[in-house]
Amino acid sequence: MHIEADELIGALRRSGLRITKARRAVCEVLAESHLDHLTAAALLQRVNERVGGNVVASTIYRSIDALEEQGLLHHIHLGHGPGVVHLSDDPLRDHLAHHHLVCEGCGRTVDVEMAAVVEAMGELAQEHDFSMKSVHFALVGLCLDCASL
Amino acid sequence: MHIEADELIGALRRSGLRITKARRAVCEVLAESHLDHLTAAALLQRVNERVGGNVVASTIYRSIDALEEQGLLHHIHLGHGPGVVHLSDDPLRDHLAHHHLVCEGCGRTVDVEMAAVVEAMGELAQEHDFSMKSVHFALVGLCLDCASL
DNA sequence: ATCGTTGCAAAATTTTTGCAATTAG
DNA sequence: CTAATTGCAAAAATTTTGCAACGAT
């Protein structure tokens, strides 16, 4: 359903980029946490846990950039705070859309299913001569907990 | 179709907040530029043009916060760079959604119509016990210009 | 007279960049 | 070997905060 680490690494390599220990770890962490929306800081931490090491934030950002340039990853800012990244959905096996309910109170983000809409989005993009890479869709409001405060 | 300056000012006043020259200008600029998605910096500039003056960035951010707490305004980050703000749509006269095509190349943001989807979003929110304030919806990809580079 | 608001300056946060040293291919 | 990548440190960009002075009600 999502891109796997090997595919990421392969794609980078095919573009003449080099696979270092840090880069490989970034790919692996991303592939393993495709359910999460990781901040760069969280990604950094998991990468360092994995390599037992001293990988530095700028390396993470540069890896993110590299993957993003390949269209393998997208980043988006949902509300306040740092941006989050996640792998692209695989267009061959899945649809392109990500959907979230973003709570303004606690920042909690709930992923929701809404496959029906995706088709309409594709048409929309076509009408505007837009080559769609991914859809981010944030429904901003208050979750039940925060609404009752 | 959108909230007007007087409504903004009235709502702030009703909440016991005070209407200063800076704050009034913020409300007026926002109401006048409801088509744009202003960054804090752009808002600052327009406010200063309007009051001929020395309003400072932190004042803008504090006004944004005040309006956001009232649910009159929302801010979102679409891709890189600074966040943008815009007034809430008026739920009585219009639907809640904002839609954008965000070009990864040049950052250009095109607003699109897609009213049909909004209803589905409302149902979606209800299913998740989520009180919807607004919908932000970014279709990330490349516009025609950038795709041909 | 109160208490929210402002400007200013300083800090916090997130991300980017320059550069010499390292390392993958 | 060659050129991409790294760590480090410094800078940039955006947003937040503390505080004394000011101003709205």
Side-chain angles (χ1 to χ4, degrees), chain A residues 17-18 20 22-23 54-56 58-59 62:
Chain A
L17 301 178
R18 291 169 186 180
T20 63
R23 209 97 109 180
N54 52 331
V55 176
V56 106
S58 52
T59 298
R62 285 186 278 226

Side-chain angles (χ1 to χ4, degrees), chain B residues 17-18 20 23 54-55 58-59 62:
Chain B
L17 301 179
R18 291 169 187 179
T20 64
R23 212 158 257 189
N54 53 331
V55 175
S58 53
T59 298
R62 284 187 278 225

Side-chain angles (χ1 to χ4, degrees), chain A residues 47-117:
Chain A
V47 164
N48 272 324
E49 282 167 8
R50 173 176 289 264
V51 304
N54 52 331
V55 176
V56 106
S58 52
T59 298
I60 298 295
Y61 283 107
R62 285 186 278 226
S63 293
I64 289 174
D65 288 348
L67 290 166
E68 201 161 17
E69 268 166 35
Q70 307 295 316
L72 299 168
L73 171 149
H74 289 285
H75 92 276
I76 190 169
H77 294 253
L78 300 169
H80 293 94
V84 295
V85 300
H86 62 83
L87 294 180
S88 304
D89 294 298
D90 185 329
L92 296 177
R93 280 174 283 168
D94 198 3
H95 55 74
L96 286 165
H98 274 259
H99 308 301
H100 315 92
L101 306 183
V102 183
C103 179
E104 289 188 312
C106 59
R108 204 178 306 156
T109 298
V110 183
D111 288 18
V112 298
E113 288 296 327
M114 198 163 138
V117 176

